[in-house]
Amino acid sequence: MVEIRQLKDGCKLEDKQCHTSARLNGDGLWCSFREGESFYRRCMDGSVVLGAEAIPVSCEKANAVHRQFHQWINSVSLTDPVIAKSQSLSIDEYKKQKLLYQQAYPEEVCILPPDRYGDIVIQPAIGCPNRQCSFCAFYKEKPYQVLNEQAFIAHLLAVQQIYGKKLEASPGVFLGSANAMALSQRRLVFCLDQIEEQLGTFKREVATFADPDFSARRSSRDWEELRSKGLRHLVIGLESGWGELRALLGKSGDLSKTAAMVHEAQQAGLSIGLTLLTGAAVEDQREKNLEFTLQTVEGFNLSPAETIYLSPLSNDGCIKEEAILEQKIFADSLRDVTKARIVPYQMQRFQYFA
């Protein structure tokens, strides 16, 4: 017997006898599907991933999963409008969703902080104004480009079309791509106003990545205005508190702009997230990197509502063992100097799920 549980943006079905379950969105499209020991999730770009590790499967396998799901859903005899929609859909509908995603997003959504995975991504700009970070696997070949007002409004309308009721269930909005804070104050306020007008307000409000060295200068009044418009959380790529190492990584060795942004944003009521790389220093400099980083983080006076994301350095997608070991050392040491939450952050595992 199949049990159904209604959700804000669809429903969840479970057949315990057959060890099969699925979550459907309001349009009847499956978002997750479990059959026996295999658990699949569908991504906005049309791909399908397997298991908790979100391992991408081949196009052939993805099509087979679609067929398995439709064979199962068509055997369900429950009377429900979402189930009825799902039973009437063909695999071509999923291909249509992929095309809508490509039309809605001028740049692929490639990364979010782990505690913001459920956010709807909005892109007032694409690319990165720096593109010099030696460790970056996402933005090196993507110049920074701001969407004009007409293009941004069209982007919001397209996002509404592909998400539908999921907008109501989403906890927050995340501004992409690499640094929305590089927008001018006028343009950023315009974008925040349009988000509220077109999409409404969200429980966790709006977050964004921020690079203080490539961001617009802002007064305390500007920061207060952004907070009043719903900007709530900045995720800053600190990577290390040691200026010398930061310079080697392609970041500025001068931390004064970072310190200023953290302080000014906090004063206006925004929360801060800091990303730190582990495994970035050579062996004989690890202690020095840890020492400088602890001093820098302690100086930011982060609260329990703020976050430090520890990300192990990877080379061509392979995470070094020493980076994992150092992640634990950093976590233990940071707890002595900050009240902020310490969150592991493996960027390579991110998928923008449907």
Side-chain angles (χ1 to χ4, degrees):
M1 179 179 178
V2 177
E3 298 178 358
I4 183 170
R5 179 162 61 91
Q6 299 296 335
L7 306 173
K8 283 186 177 180
D9 59 338
C11 65
K12 183 174 181 179
L13 305 174
E14 184 173 11
D15 186 336
K16 293 181 180 179
Q17 185 175 355
C18 296
H19 305 288
T20 305
S21 62
R23 182 173 65 84
L24 313 182
N25 68 16
D27 294 319
L29 298 164
W30 72 268
C31 301
S32 65
F33 176 51
R34 180 184 297 277
E35 190 170 52
E37 297 298 318
S38 299
F39 177 67
Y40 302 97
R41 295 190 71 175
R42 187 171 60 84
C43 303
M44 293 301 298
D45 64 2
S47 63
V48 173
V49 296
L50 171 65
E53 298 294 318
I55 302 169
V57 305
S58 67
C59 290
E60 181 179 354
K61 178 60 177 177
N63 287 335
V65 173
H66 283 301
R67 289 193 294 270
Q68 290 166 6
F69 166 76
H70 280 285
Q71 182 177 358
W72 176 72
I73 196 67
N74 284 320
S75 70
V76 174
S77 58
L78 291 175
T79 302
D80 181 87
V82 173
I83 295 174
K85 286 181 184 179
S86 187
Q87 291 171 336
S88 69
L89 298 176
S90 67
I91 292 179
D92 288 341
E93 189 63 31
Y94 294 91
K95 296 177 182 178
K96 178 182 176 182
Q97 290 297 307
K98 177 181 178 179
L99 291 175
L100 288 174
Y101 166 80
Q102 293 172 340
Q103 293 166 6
Y105 286 93
E107 181 174 277
E108 181 185 359
V109 179
C110 54
I111 187 64
L112 287 180
D115 56 345
R116 305 290 303 203
Y117 279 2
D119 285 2
I120 297 293
V121 175
I122 301 296
Q123 294 179 338
I126 58 176
C128 177
N130 182 6
R131 295 194 293 150
Q132 299 301 312
C133 294
S134 61
F135 56 88
C136 182
F138 306 113
Y139 298 112
K140 282 189 175 181
E141 307 302 323
K142 298 176 181 178
Y144 196 71
Q145 180 182 344
V146 178
L147 274 64
N148 63 38
E149 294 183 358
Q150 183 178 0
F152 182 70
I153 293 173
H155 169 58
L156 290 181
L157 293 175
V159 167
Q160 284 180 299
Q161 182 180 4
I162 61 173
Y163 284 108
K165 289 186 177 181
K166 186 177 180 180
L167 287 170
E168 301 174 13
S170 296
V173 164
F174 200 94
L175 300 182
S177 283
N179 183 15
M181 299 309 296
L183 272 66
S184 69
Q185 182 72 5
R186 187 199 67 80
R187 180 58 62 88
L188 186 51
V189 167
F190 168 81
C191 291
L192 292 170
D193 282 341
Q194 288 299 312
I195 289 170
E196 181 174 357
E197 182 178 329
Q198 301 292 335
L199 307 183
T201 57
F202 297 80
K203 182 179 180 179
R204 296 184 65 189
E205 299 183 276
V206 181
T208 184
F209 289 122
D211 184 339
D213 294 294
F214 293 87
S215 294
R217 294 183 62 181
R218 291 183 163 87
S219 66
S220 58
R221 183 173 295 180
D222 289 336
W223 282 107
E224 290 167 1
E225 181 181 31
L226 294 177
R227 180 68 194 97
S228 72
K229 298 292 183 179
L231 187 61
R232 180 68 184 86
H233 186 60
L234 299 184
V235 180
I236 298 173
L238 179 63
E239 320 311 351
S240 169
W242 183 18
E244 186 175 320
L245 179 58
R246 276 174 54 90
L248 292 175
L249 293 171
K251 311 281 284 191
S252 172
D254 181 358
L255 283 160
S256 60
K257 289 185 178 179
T258 298
M261 177 178 280
V262 169
H263 176 73
E264 291 162 1
Q266 288 174 326
Q267 289 294 106
L270 282 79
S271 63
I272 300 297
L274 300 176
T275 62
L276 293 175
L277 280 178
T278 61
V282 295
E283 186 173 359
D284 62 353
Q285 294 183 337
R286 288 174 188 166
E287 288 188 13
K288 194 170 186 179
N289 177 39
L290 178 59
E291 178 184 351
F292 275 105
T293 299
L294 293 176
Q295 290 175 3
T296 299
V297 170
E298 186 173 20
F300 292 151
N301 194 29
L302 301 179
S303 74
E306 296 176 301
T307 309
I308 295 174
Y309 307 99
L310 292 179
S311 179
L313 183 65
S314 68
N315 293 320
D316 298 323
C318 297
I319 297 175
K320 298 187 295 183
E321 183 178 351
E322 55 264 34
I324 296 294
L325 295 174
E326 197 175 54
Q327 192 177 40
K328 185 179 187 307
I329 294 171
F330 265 67
D332 292 341
S333 301
L334 284 163
R335 290 189 181 98
D336 293 331
V337 301
T338 181
K339 297 177 182 178
R341 296 168 295 187
I342 313 297
V343 177
Y345 184 17
Q346 291 199 21
M347 301 181 187
Q348 293 75 14
R349 291 185 178 179
F350 171 75
Q351 297 288 343
Y352 194 35
F353 293 122

